[in-house]
Amino acid sequence: MFPNSTILGRPPFPPKPQTANHFNQLPLRVSPVLFSRQQLVESECNFRNSCFRGIPLHSLPRFPSVRSHDCTPGTSASPHVSPVPALSQGRKRRSDEHSPCDLKRQRFHSPGSRPLVLSAPSPPRGVQKSSVPSHVEVCGPVLSSGTALSPRTPKPAGCVPPLGGELHPSVIDGPLPPVKDKLSQQIMELFQVCQQQADDLEKKELCRAQLQREIQRLFPQSRVYLAGSSLNGFGSRSSDADLCLVVQEGSVNQKTDAVYILGLVQQLFYRLSYIERPQLIRAKVPILKFRDKVSGVEFDLNVNNVVGIRNTFLLRTYAYIEKRVRPIILVIKKWARHHGINDASRGTLSSYSLVLLVLHYLQTLPEPVIPCLQKAYPESFNPSMDIHLVPNGPRDIPPYTSKNDSTLGDLLLGFLKYYSTVFNWEKSMISVREAKALPRPNYKDWKNKYICVEEPFERSNTARAVHEKMKFDTIKAEFMESWQLLQAKKDLNFILPVRATIQKR
């Protein structure tokens, strides 16, 4: 229980008397053996970093002070852990006090147990009750219902499955498109086996919730959001997980402040027994890469890259608005990975750019398979919407009834043909926001780029990683060769080995 205790063969680590820090303020009657090494290290870390680049942490502009509470898929209410002072003041902890260590023991030693469940917090001053629905869990992207769903409770009318309550059945057991031919059957088989399962998402969410509790010791008002393919509906069983740490309202300087914050978090992660290999990558948007030993999932953590949260829920709505979208996109991602054109770090297409390519194609058919969501529902995808309201934005968007009755096989062939023979790479820019190909802008970020794909919120070029002509030619060649093979053979194995892909998942 006490990692510092001499019972474990290690001496306690009391602070040096001459050091001017928080430990000198402890009551004399409190024995150092009452504190774990983790508590001592974090208290010292908080004191040393009480100034953030010369500005006190508590004075940084934050989100509206909504009381944070963590959540776990499948719970009937939003769990909230009451804040407990780190110091016990020399007395026993009351039965109603819970520490982060208790939550950690529940997670790793009692899989069936759940954190203490209390009533949902009241909205902050100045925020009307209607603007933050009571069933929205605002600390992270996995939302919890305020009341357990029962057979009598009507299900949400929107096309997007709720992020709590009946998340798992609605995601996994939802209706899928009918299969009419061999190629479509192969696509559906690959999708059903490789799609992210409910337990995969739950493992990622458990780690997210635990890390949020840990990071809030450094940044009390921060929140950690799950984003990317893990939540947007296009993830597979082998997908990594993206996390966004939001420490303040507004932007953060990615070259300086984001690196500084991630450095602090990295030092914290070194001391967490369930985290391994925390590595700080100083990219344009710096990330902290690490692995969760419990789930085996690889994570990428960024700071205040909130556009990733916005586009996660835009893509999630596209994923569920029409039942053919998820299968076709997952298979195209597998195809691109197999042919080596789905790796932005090597100068090819990122998964995000690839998804936007598919959505653009589905929007621009003579009979569209999907609508333009940002035009049809501007209030649900407002770029200036408060970030913690974003997960609830698309909840009431209804399913789209398309007049296009193409099979999955037809759509895959059409996608390859469109980018092989129809789309003008040299003059056009892909815009899902406008649901059409636009003329290339004459700006620095777009000039002399081989592929131009507009980010739906920031309107930057998501395909800027393709900066070598040789890589661009390789991408075009793969589209052309795969289209010709698939058109002749009508068998997915000729462009993507189904059995080997299923084994990798």
Side-chain angles (χ1 to χ4, degrees):
M1 180 177 294
F2 305 111
N4 293 346
S5 174
T6 54
I7 296 174
L8 300 181
R10 284 183 286 181
F13 299 92
K16 296 179 181 180
Q18 67 273 19
T19 304
N21 56 31
H22 284 322
F23 299 125
N24 290 336
Q25 303 172 14
L26 299 180
L28 294 176
R29 66 178 181 273
V30 179
S31 171
V33 81
L34 291 176
F35 307 108
S36 68
R37 186 185 182 195
Q38 180 73 18
Q39 288 172 316
L40 294 174
V41 169
E42 288 171 354
S43 182
E44 173 69 11
C45 186
N46 277 326
F47 176 76
R48 289 198 313 267
N49 298 306
S50 59
C51 285
F52 175 65
R53 304 189 66 81
I55 303 173
L57 283 173
H58 60 78
S59 69
L60 284 173
R62 307 281 184 184
F63 286 120
S65 56
V66 180
R67 290 168 59 191
S68 64
H69 49 284
D70 290 299
C71 50
T72 306
T75 55
S76 59
S78 299
H80 173 68
V81 181
S82 299
V84 179
L87 309 181
S88 299
Q89 299 295 331
R91 59 172 175 80
K92 290 185 178 180
R93 190 176 67 228
R94 296 197 309 269
S95 60
D96 61 341
E97 290 181 347
H98 292 260
S99 72
C101 295
D102 296 324
L103 296 177
K104 203 175 295 183
R105 282 194 292 272
Q106 286 181 5
R107 178 186 173 196
F108 298 116
H109 302 294
S110 304
S113 62
R114 296 292 186 189
L116 178 66
V117 177
L118 299 180
S119 58
S122 57
R125 292 181 180 179
V127 178
Q128 296 181 355
K129 291 183 179 180
S130 60
S131 64
V132 184
S134 61
H135 68 281
V136 177
E137 202 292 323
V138 298
C139 72
V142 176
L143 312 183
S144 299
S145 299
T147 305
L149 293 176
S150 68
R152 297 181 181 179
T153 305
K155 294 183 178 179
C159 68
V160 183
L163 292 173
E166 291 190 345
L167 165 68
H168 300 166
S170 61
V171 171
I172 304 302
D173 299 329
L176 294 171
V179 174
K180 300 178 182 180
D181 56 273
K182 177 183 177 180
L183 182 55
S184 298
Q185 185 170 350
Q186 290 173 319
I187 294 171
M188 184 55 61
E189 178 187 354
L190 194 60
F191 168 71
Q192 289 176 322
V193 175
C194 294
Q195 67 170 322
Q196 179 177 258
Q197 302 298 312
D199 59 337
D200 299 324
L201 178 58
E202 185 167 6
K203 289 175 183 176
K204 295 173 182 178
E205 162 57 18
L206 283 171
C207 187
R208 181 212 66 82
Q210 179 66 18
L211 290 177
Q212 175 166 276
R213 287 189 285 269
E214 301 285 0
I215 293 173
Q216 282 179 343
R217 298 181 181 185
L218 292 174
F219 307 102
Q221 300 301 319
S222 64
R223 300 173 203 165
V224 178
Y225 290 81
L226 191 62
S229 62
S230 296
L231 204 61
N232 64 23
F234 302 127
S236 64
R237 302 215 64 183
S238 59
S239 295
D240 296 344
D242 295 320
L243 296 173
C244 179
L245 168 60
V246 182
V247 296
Q248 68 177 43
E249 187 177 4
S251 61
V252 164
N253 188 307
Q254 294 293 327
K255 290 184 178 180
T256 56
D257 294 342
V259 172
Y260 175 74
I261 293 168
L262 289 176
L264 296 181
V265 175
Q266 183 182 30
Q267 295 303 313
L268 172 64
F269 282 9
Y270 280 137
R271 296 166 174 82
L272 300 182
S273 60
Y274 58 93
I275 297 297
E276 66 178 0
R277 303 197 308 265
Q279 181 184 7
L280 180 56
I281 308 296
R282 297 170 181 262
K284 182 176 182 179
V285 176
I287 59 172
L288 183 62
K289 298 180 73 72
F290 60 93
R291 180 178 179 272
D292 174 25
K293 291 181 182 179
V294 178
S295 64
V297 176
E298 300 279 349
F299 285 87
D300 290 347
L301 174 70
N302 67 67
V303 176
N304 267 63
N305 187 32
V306 295
V307 69
I309 301 172
R310 298 188 191 280
N311 64 49
T312 291
F313 286 92
L314 173 66
L315 265 56
R316 181 175 172 82
T317 311
Y318 276 119
Y320 291 101
I321 200 168
E322 218 283 342
K323 57 190 176 182
R324 288 169 288 183
V325 177
R326 291 177 67 219
I328 195 68
I329 285 183
L330 187 141
V331 169
I332 288 172
K333 286 174 65 178
K334 293 289 184 183
W335 163 80
R337 176 68 65 173
H338 174 71
H339 289 276
I341 59 171
N342 178 208
D343 189 348
S345 67
R346 299 184 178 224
T348 57
L349 292 165
S350 66
S351 292
Y352 183 37
S353 295
L354 197 60
V355 170
L356 293 177
L357 258 66
V358 184
L359 295 178
H360 166 78
Y361 163 70
L362 297 176
Q363 287 176 326
T364 55
L365 289 167
E367 286 291 349
V369 174
I370 55 175
C372 179
L373 288 174
Q374 288 168 286
K375 280 187 173 181
Y377 306 97
E379 69 287 348
S380 297
F381 305 102
N382 187 337
S384 61
M385 182 188 297
D386 196 303
I387 196 64
H388 66 257
L389 298 179
V390 167
N392 204 40
R395 63 175 180 168
D396 295 326
I397 294 176
Y400 180 72
T401 303
S402 173
K403 296 180 181 179
N404 187 316
D405 59 357
S406 300
T407 66
L408 290 171
D410 294 337
L411 293 177
L412 178 57
L413 267 169
F415 167 79
L416 295 172
K417 179 182 179 180
Y418 178 74
Y419 288 107
S420 297
T421 64
V422 178
F423 183 75
N424 190 328
W425 296 98
E426 294 181 358
K427 296 182 179 180
S428 299
M429 172 185 74
I430 291 164
S431 176
V432 170
R433 177 181 58 89
E434 292 286 343
K436 60 184 177 182
L438 299 176
R440 285 193 179 206
N442 195 25
Y443 305 141
K444 179 181 178 182
D445 289 345
W446 301 91
K447 263 187 175 182
N448 304 319
K449 302 298 180 184
Y450 294 105
I451 299 178
C452 292
V453 182
E454 181 192 57
E455 207 291 319
F457 293 98
E458 287 189 334
R459 304 191 189 181
S460 57
N461 184 11
T462 70
R464 58 184 174 271
V466 186
H467 55 79
E468 295 179 12
K469 187 177 187 306
M470 182 180 69
K471 296 293 178 68
F472 173 57
D473 290 340
T474 298
I475 292 170
K476 290 196 301 180
E478 292 296 347
F479 272 101
M480 178 65 75
E481 184 179 350
S482 293
W483 170 57
Q484 292 173 343
L485 270 173
L486 198 60
Q487 186 181 37
K489 305 295 184 181
K490 300 295 192 298
D491 186 337
L492 188 60
N493 283 291
F494 282 90
I495 65 168
L496 177 64
V498 174
R499 182 169 296 182
T501 304
I502 287 175
Q503 289 175 349
K504 293 180 182 179
R505 292 199 287 187

